[in-house]
Amino acid sequence: MVLTAFAIMLAAQGVSEPLPAKTDIPNDFSTVICPSEAAAREMLGSYYGVQPAPRNHTIDTALFFKGLAATGCSQNSAEAKSTIAIQQVIARRTLPLAGGSETHLVYRGTNASGSRVIGIVDETGNDKHPRTDYERWLSEFIPGGVLDHDPAGNRTVYLCPTIDGARSAVKAIPGKGNDTVRNAAFAKARTANACRQAAAGRYKITARHEERAIPCGFECEDVWNALAATDTRGRTVALIFNGSHF
């Protein structure tokens, strides 16, 4: 009886909940701040829901905003203007969405000024949210960090025998001159470093090195990046990837 009561007390305090993979919430990722633990629990338990298909791709926003008004929780709290460090997870709830499940959690934490906060965050989204320039670049050009390369596609990728070779080829692109001059220098450096067009396959990106751009006209630009990667057999390979928006 005593042990059961103790277990219930621990569960109520959130002691048994493990911390998420990422224990920081960047200030550019949304989090709901609540006035109390009770308000946060009520918000997550009663106002995070999913509508029936086909409107089940996101949480029920009408119910969500109703919950903000009912609980006093806020999406725009000044306490969330800086990075929040999650110190304790009080409760979790997983929502079955059309694109896959999404877990939200109630947490206790502190912001950059040291203020204690209680809030709710999308754990699934926060774990995936990029923190560094490299992670932001990956999320934009190679989501998930794995390049599924098809030579018949629109994006050119070169494979080099070594990382140093890929980096040297990219660094050889002059900072000045027209596209003919820059492309000639790039082609010469690729040949010198035995780089060739990459075969079809999946490449897991492990690092990004030099980047050089070659303007090629109005709204036209090639942006060559030297990348370290591993292939499907786990071998280290070097790629030169065109990360251009045009």
Side-chain angles (χ1 to χ4, degrees), residues 138-167:
L138 275 183
S139 69
E140 184 174 357
F141 292 102
I142 309 176
V146 176
L147 173 63
D148 194 356
H149 177 54
D150 178 4
N154 295 326
R155 202 178 290 277
T156 300
V157 178
Y158 296 102
L159 179 72
C160 304
T162 66
I163 302 297
D164 286 343
R167 297 181 68 176

Side-chain angles (χ1 to χ4, degrees), residues 50-60 97-98:
V50 181
Q51 294 191 61
R55 293 178 293 177
N56 59 339
H57 290 273
T58 62
I59 65 171
D60 185 338
L97 300 177

Side-chain angles (χ1 to χ4, degrees), residues 66-85:
K66 181 180 178 181
L68 294 180
T71 62
C73 297
S74 172
Q75 273 190 307
N76 301 304
S77 172
E79 293 179 318
K81 298 301 182 184
S82 63
T83 297
I84 292 174

Side-chain angles (χ1 to χ4, degrees), residues 29-204:
F29 191 80
S30 178
T31 182
V32 171
I33 300 298
C34 295
S36 66
E37 178 182 325
R41 284 181 176 275
E42 181 185 359
M43 181 71 194
L44 181 60
S46 301
Y47 296 102
Y48 276 70
V50 181
Q51 294 191 61
R55 293 178 293 177
N56 59 339
H57 290 273
T58 62
I59 65 171
D60 185 338
T61 53
L63 180 65
F64 174 81
F65 285 111
K66 181 180 178 181
L68 294 180
T71 62
C73 297
S74 172
Q75 273 190 307
N76 301 304
S77 172
E79 293 179 318
K81 298 301 182 184
S82 63
T83 297
I84 292 174
I86 298 174
Q87 297 173 323
Q88 181 185 19
V89 175
I90 299 169
R92 272 185 174 86
R93 186 177 178 197
T94 299
L95 302 175
L97 300 177
S101 61
E102 186 176 273
T103 299
H104 296 257
L105 58 82
V106 176
Y107 65 86
R108 292 181 182 274
T110 56
N111 60 21
S113 66
S115 298
R116 295 181 180 180
V117 295
I118 296 175
I120 303 169
V121 71
D122 171 3
E123 178 181 8
T124 306
N126 188 55
D127 283 350
K128 295 178 180 178
H129 187 69
R131 266 74 170 170
T132 65
D133 288 342
Y134 169 62
E135 290 175 346
R136 282 186 282 272
W137 185 88
L138 275 183
S139 69
E140 184 174 357
F141 292 102
I142 309 176
V146 176
L147 173 63
D148 194 356
H149 177 54
D150 178 4
N154 295 326
R155 202 178 290 277
T156 300
V157 178
Y158 296 102
L159 179 72
C160 304
T162 66
I163 302 297
D164 286 343
R167 297 181 68 176
S168 294
V170 172
K171 286 191 290 186
I173 298 172
K176 296 181 180 180
N178 59 31
D179 60 324
T180 301
V181 171
R182 297 189 194 191
N183 279 317
F186 182 36
K188 181 179 179 180
R190 292 199 312 271
T191 300
N193 288 282
C195 302
R196 64 186 189 280
Q197 289 209 21
R202 290 171 60 84
Y203 301 92
K204 181 175 177 57

Side-chain angles (χ1 to χ4, degrees), residues 177-180 182-183 213-224 242 244 246:
N178 59 31
D179 60 324
T180 301
R182 297 189 194 191
N183 279 317
I214 302 178
C216 47
F218 178 70
E219 291 191 349
C220 176
E221 183 180 49
D222 292 325
V223 185
W224 297 105
N242 189 358
S244 173
F246 306 108

